[in-house]
Amino acid sequence: MAAIDAGYRHFDSAYSYKNEHEVGEGIRQKIQQGVVKREDLFVVSKLWCTFHEKSMVKVGCQKTLDALKFDYLDMYLIHWPVGFKAGDTMFPLDENGHAIRSNTNILETWEVECHPYLTQVKLVEYCQSKGIAVTVYSPLGSPDRPSAKPGDPVLLVDPRIKKIAEKYKKTSAQVLLRFQIQRNVIVIPKSVTPERIKENFQIFDFELTKDEMDTILSLNRNWRLCDMEICRKQKDYPFAAEF
């Protein structure tokens, strides 16, 4: 609700986030208040890995629609490009801690992790050369992610980002989001704090210079926050590919 009031119209959700009911409720309240119409919004959700079998895709989608209490989605993505064994367990693992795969063989579209420590230059340039829109997740480095380890770099406190932020009297988060916008990619920051939700939208009143863009691009270290380690042995594991 705070995001709609701040001006957001693209909402990214997923079955595996376990918050679709709440997201749908907040959107419906704003529709009922007359603030927005459903057709004003671009609502995205994702097929989880345990629904990749052909007979399960509609089941997975319907679960999402029922939770959101919507008649349709504007986009439905493959969440991870690997299939897991169907069932009620979201992460079915074998005795060695590896994901138990399904027998699906898929070609798909999914969002990509992207931030200054993983700039994805080659992938972004390739997609844009083919007219493919790129949506990036974890643009702020997901500092609150459950998998964070002591000693992991924290993008929001990187001194080079903070220096640019100070110049424009902006937050580090606003600089990181502006960086992606200027690359012509779709960016989906996550926040549960109304004030930060508002701040994350206030990125259209300044512009980074070419030197600043180059500085941020130079921070790349090909460091993934989400490496899908439990899927590494699966044939569809995506990070062994050229891109």
Side-chain angles (χ1 to χ4, degrees):
M1 294 172 70
I4 288 176
D5 287 339
Y8 291 80
R9 295 297 180 264
H10 178 160
F11 292 90
D12 180 81
S13 62
Y15 172 82
S16 66
Y17 298 162
K18 299 183 178 180
N19 65 353
E20 289 178 318
H21 174 81
E22 293 82 358
V23 170
E25 175 64 24
I27 291 174
R28 288 196 308 279
Q29 286 194 38
K30 284 300 175 182
I31 291 174
Q32 291 165 4
Q33 292 171 14
V35 178
V36 290
K37 299 177 181 177
R38 173 64 184 89
E39 55 267 30
D40 297 331
L41 307 177
F42 192 82
V43 181
V44 179
S45 195
K46 309 178 191 77
L47 181 76
W48 183 239
C49 305
T50 53
F51 296 99
H52 279 202
E53 299 288 349
K54 185 175 181 180
S55 62
M56 294 295 292
V57 174
K58 185 175 180 179
V59 174
C61 185
Q62 193 61 55
K63 284 180 178 290
T64 282
L65 290 171
D66 290 346
L68 290 167
K69 293 185 170 61
F70 289 166
D71 296 327
Y72 69 96
L73 294 165
D74 296 279
M75 182 178 287
Y76 195 50
L77 299 174
I78 302 291
H79 198 143
W80 281 9
V82 287
F84 292 169
K85 178 183 176 182
D88 296 328
T89 302
M90 194 165 291
F91 292 93
L93 304 177
D94 63 20
E95 63 276 8
N96 297 313
H98 299 137
I100 303 173
R101 66 179 302 275
S102 69
N103 293 318
T104 51
N105 184 13
I106 53 174
L107 295 173
E108 66 290 309
T109 300
W110 65 95
E111 298 164 352
V112 298
E113 177 186 337
C114 187
H115 43 76
Y117 294 159
L118 182 67
T119 52
Q120 301 273 30
V121 170
K122 189 172 184 178
L123 177 61
V124 169
E125 289 180 351
Y126 174 80
C127 288
Q128 291 178 344
S129 75
K130 302 296 184 182
I132 300 170
V134 177
T135 302
V136 301
Y137 66 80
S138 296
L140 308 181
S142 296
D144 60 345
R145 66 192 183 281
S147 61
K149 303 178 183 65
D152 278 355
V154 181
L155 186 56
L156 288 169
V157 299
D158 188 295
R160 292 155 294 189
I161 299 296
K162 290 178 69 175
K163 182 179 179 180
I164 295 171
E166 288 168 2
K167 171 186 172 181
Y168 293 103
K169 295 182 171 55
K170 292 289 185 178
T171 66
S172 292
Q174 287 169 320
V175 169
L176 294 173
L177 297 176
R178 181 68 203 183
F179 163 70
Q180 300 291 6
I181 291 292
Q182 285 187 216
R183 299 178 74 198
N184 196 31
V185 302
I186 301 158
V187 62
I188 46 174
K190 180 181 72 173
S191 179
V192 297
T193 308
E195 189 56 39
R196 285 181 182 165
I197 289 172
K198 292 177 184 177
E199 283 183 354
N200 289 346
F201 197 74
Q202 294 166 351
I203 58 173
F204 302 102
D205 57 353
F206 75 107
E207 184 173 346
L208 301 172
T209 67
K210 182 182 184 302
D211 285 346
E212 289 163 346
M213 290 291 290
D214 289 343
T215 294
I216 297 173
L217 284 168
S218 74
L219 302 183
N220 180 61
R221 54 179 76 181
N222 293 323
W223 182 65
R224 292 185 185 277
L225 302 163
C226 179
D227 61 7
M228 301 185 194
E229 179 64 31
I230 63 172
C231 309
R232 189 173 293 276
K233 293 184 179 297
Q234 297 202 18
K235 66 179 178 62
D236 293 320
Y237 183 73
F239 302 142
E242 178 184 359
F243 292 98

